[in-house]
Amino acid sequence: MTASSTRPGPAPRAPRTTGARTPVPAPGSAPASTAPGAPSYHRLSGLTPVLTVRCAPPRGGDGRLSAADLATRPEAVRELIAHDARQGLARYGQPLRPDVAAGFGLHRFVWPVSLLFTLPWFLERRVPLLGLGDVSLRRHAEAIELTVRPAEFACLPDDPAAGSEQARTAPDEPALGAVLRSALGAFLAPVLTAFGPEARRGPRVLWAMATDAVVEGLWYAGGLLGEQERARAELSALLAPAPGAAGGPAPDPAPFTPGAGFAPPAPSGGGAPAPHRSRASCCLVYTARPADMCDGCPRLARR
């Protein structure tokens, strides 16, 4: 996992076209966990060595950090940032600026954690309603291990589990998308606030950074699953501003930055191709290695 990436995910190892939900296992096959999101987490963990997700009560110790710790303990934030500072020194041969290391640390938290929400929505049309105390993480060099305790979730009325005690139903797809934005935004808000002083960014830029990490995470997972174009389309719809009433201003998909940043399909003919997507924020990787500036960096667009 890089600090930030506007590039698509790697070629899928097991491409398969899915519908809105992960199908029920065939008779005689191993039953999937009934925990919301578990089938999606299992598929992702089997496709990439970068991220492992375990459904279990979060644990501490042995290098694990609770997401709640990041929101309440400044020393936990600094511990996570120190990991990226060490990696940056090893990768670039020079110390990272403290705010740059903090930005890398925030990205590498939001990128995988957002998948706990977005991937079940993408594959199962279920949105786990997670709190900070439900998630812990442990980093191993470039890989991340997440432990998550799924409980309540939101789903559509025709979901087989819609009548269960843990389920909350959303009337339609747009409403379920709004639940996803709200649940993920509420989860990330205190963590972004905790990282703000270390990253030296204000709320607007922090949410832009979070938006980039959310988009790039699901786009990467879509590539692994052989459904990158569907991920691109659904992310664009998820973060699109709603039509304004009577010609008024369109409301943003708060708290996220509006728009997923994907370039429209290139017209036929010559000319240089457009970048795959334009980022909402700058990851500042160019401060460590200028040649590594992302193609979709907003700084390039301002030149």
Side-chain angles (χ1 to χ4, degrees):
M1 185 191 309
T2 57
S4 301
S5 177
T6 58
R7 301 175 180 84
R13 302 185 205 174
R16 187 177 72 84
T17 301
T18 67
R21 300 190 183 98
T22 299
V24 175
S29 63
S33 170
T34 57
S40 299
Y41 304 153
H42 180 74
R43 287 189 66 189
L44 180 64
S45 298
L47 287 170
T48 174
V50 171
L51 179 61
T52 300
V53 182
R54 306 182 190 281
C55 289
R59 295 175 289 172
D62 196 20
R64 295 181 179 88
L65 281 175
S66 165
D69 286 343
L70 295 175
T72 58
R73 295 175 49 238
E75 59 270 26
V77 174
R78 290 191 288 268
E79 180 182 339
L80 198 67
I81 294 172
H83 184 103
D84 286 282
R86 292 190 295 269
Q87 282 194 329
L89 178 61
R91 175 177 295 171
Y92 301 112
Q94 60 179 340
L96 296 177
R97 272 177 20 194
D99 60 314
V100 175
F104 285 11
L106 179 60
H107 174 88
R108 288 174 177 149
F109 173 82
V110 178
W111 188 98
V113 165
S114 67
L115 283 167
L116 300 178
F117 296 80
T118 60
L119 193 62
W121 166 77
F122 183 68
L123 291 179
E124 305 173 48
R125 283 304 188 256
R126 293 180 176 181
V127 177
L129 304 176
L130 303 171
L132 291 171
D134 295 323
V135 177
S136 64
L137 72 155
R138 180 169 61 173
R139 293 181 56 181
H140 315 268
E142 293 291 328
I144 292 179
E145 174 191 310
L146 293 175
T147 303
V148 57
R149 175 177 49 204
E152 294 184 342
F153 63 97
C155 63
L156 295 171
D158 63 345
D159 190 295
S164 67
E165 292 183 1
Q166 293 78 23
R168 302 180 187 176
T169 56
D172 52 30
E173 291 273 3
L176 189 65
V179 172
L180 170 60
R181 292 191 299 270
S182 176
L184 181 54
F187 185 94
L188 294 177
V191 178
L192 266 60
T193 298
F195 268 89
E198 302 289 342
R200 300 177 188 172
R201 271 92 150 184
R204 182 177 178 180
V205 176
L206 289 168
W207 280 110
M209 295 168 67
T211 302
D212 283 327
V214 169
V215 171
E216 289 165 7
L218 187 59
W219 195 28
Y220 171 87
L224 293 175
L225 295 164
E227 299 198 55
Q228 197 167 75
E229 285 307 307
R230 183 165 77 88
R232 174 180 173 134
E234 295 201 4
L235 283 163
S236 296
L238 179 71
L239 296 173
D252 292 342
F256 298 97
T257 301
F262 292 110
S268 58
H276 292 292
R277 71 172 295 263
S278 298
R279 290 177 51 84
S281 68
C282 176
C283 67
L284 302 181
V285 68
Y286 75 92
T287 63
R289 184 179 292 165
D292 280 0
M293 181 175 279
C294 307
D295 290 340
C297 179
R299 289 177 177 270
L300 293 176
R302 292 197 293 265
R303 287 182 177 180

